[in-house]
Amino acid sequence: MSEQWNAFDVTVDDGIAEVSLIGPGKGNAMGPDFWRELPELFKGLDTDDAVRAVILRGAGKHFSFGLDLVSMAGDLAPVLADNAKAKPRTEFHDMVRSMQAAITAVADCRKPVIAAISGWCIGGGVDLITAADIRYASADAQFSVREVRVAMVADVGSLARLPGLIGDGHLRELALTGKDIDAARAEKIGLVNDVYATPEELLEAARATAREIADNPPLVVQGIKTVLDHSRAPAQADSLRYVAAWNSAFLPSNDIGEAVAAVFEKRKPKFSGS
């Protein structure tokens, strides 16, 4: 692949693609470029015969801080207005569905995707790794389904895909509290397959697994993914449709306005339940 990306760095070598998140700032936050480019990138990887496996990682010390609220605030503003009617709510629904489709492009990629997670993996970062086939972490990794802490229902993948990975009880604990968990806890509950001592050992392990996959018959590998996804994909798609409609109806609130203001003002939000 020869395309130039704003939110990603992509290399392909001997059947293995490495995709690095290079979003703005030190935490690879997910801004407009990320959401626009992600589906195009993974659809390209899906059809590229030179690619047999994909490693997904973050540039620098962290995987991703999640949604870039600062750069996305303009897209949220119309639906958060006190008098938001059908048009801004419909446009917000379309935006959520587009963001969901971006993450789903990773899940739908017929080339197996290995997420290699170091540092923070927050909110949208968790949405993204749930779409991968295999997840490895370094010991410094920390995870948070944090949307509840900014007055949102997670709506681009975590609530749809995490039940099949960590079970209902663990998911409810993470989603309802927004708590942070470390790599050891993530491995214990099944969020990640294995934990490695350092980011360097993590990347070495991800590359070794990608090599094992790439050396197998490519059509059979794709067939395994297709069969495994056959029964779970419809339930995930239904969950994604429902949460997009729910958020379009109920997301506007004083609390989310307070959450956004708190981000800009670098303070703790004070929620009122209104």
Side-chain angles (χ1 to χ4, degrees), residues 1 3 16 21 38 82 103 109 116 144 167 207 222 229 233 251:
M1 298 181 69
E3 292 90 344
I16 299 170
L21 281 66
L38 183 66
D82 290 340
I103 299 294
C109 181
S144 180
R207 287 170 174 165
Q222 293 175 29
D229 291 342
L251 181 71

Side-chain angles (χ1 to χ4, degrees), residues 1 3 5 35-45 102 105:
M1 298 181 69
E3 292 90 344
W5 310 96
W35 298 107
R36 181 178 61 255
E37 293 177 353
L38 183 66
E40 181 183 353
L41 168 57
F42 270 85
K43 287 173 183 175
L45 293 171

Side-chain angles (χ1 to χ4, degrees), residues 241-258:
R241 284 192 299 270
Y242 182 77
V243 73
W246 197 98
N247 265 358
S248 299
F250 297 110
L251 181 71
S253 67
N254 291 330
D255 279 343
I256 193 170
E258 165 65 8

Side-chain angles (χ1 to χ4, degrees), residues 52-246:
R52 294 191 175 189
V54 181
I55 296 171
L56 181 60
R57 54 184 292 215
K61 295 181 179 180
H62 303 285
F63 184 79
S64 178
F65 286 175
L67 183 68
D68 187 348
L69 277 174
V70 174
S71 68
M72 301 291 287
D75 295 311
L76 292 171
V79 77
L80 299 181
D82 290 340
N83 61 346
K85 301 296 184 182
K87 187 174 188 295
R89 290 173 187 265
T90 299
E91 290 172 346
F92 176 77
H93 179 269
D94 292 343
M95 182 183 75
V96 172
R97 292 294 284 161
S98 176
M99 293 166 69
Q100 290 176 343
I103 299 294
T104 298
V106 178
D108 287 348
C109 181
R110 290 173 295 174
K111 315 303 171 62
V113 179
I114 302 164
I117 307 129
S118 294
W120 281 105
C121 180
I122 301 171
V126 178
D127 292 312
L128 181 57
I129 67 168
T130 64
D133 297 280
I134 297 167
R135 286 156 296 280
Y136 294 152
S138 55
D140 68 335
Q142 297 193 72
F143 304 82
S144 180
V145 183
R146 194 171 290 189
E147 284 84 350
V148 68
R149 290 164 61 177
V150 289
M152 294 181 182
V153 175
D155 58 8
V156 294
S158 289
L159 301 189
R161 297 187 173 96
L162 278 175
L165 300 176
I166 65 175
D168 187 71
H170 291 305
L171 170 56
R172 288 175 186 263
E173 180 184 1
L174 297 184
L176 292 170
T177 65
K179 66 168 57 178
D180 307 331
I181 63 170
D182 62 16
R185 175 76 192 280
E187 182 181 24
K188 182 178 180 180
I189 66 177
L191 179 57
V192 299
N193 297 55
D194 287 297
V195 175
Y196 298 88
T198 66
E200 292 76 20
E201 290 180 31
L202 161 68
L203 188 56
E204 181 180 350
R207 287 170 174 165
T209 297
R211 178 77 271 145
E212 289 184 278
I213 293 170
D215 287 344
N216 285 328
L219 294 180
V220 174
V221 168
Q222 293 175 29
I224 291 169
K225 278 205 62 171
T226 300
V227 172
L228 289 173
D229 291 342
H230 175 72
S231 60
R232 69 188 70 173
Q236 293 171 356
D238 182 64
S239 175
L240 291 168
R241 284 192 299 270
Y242 182 77
V243 73
W246 197 98

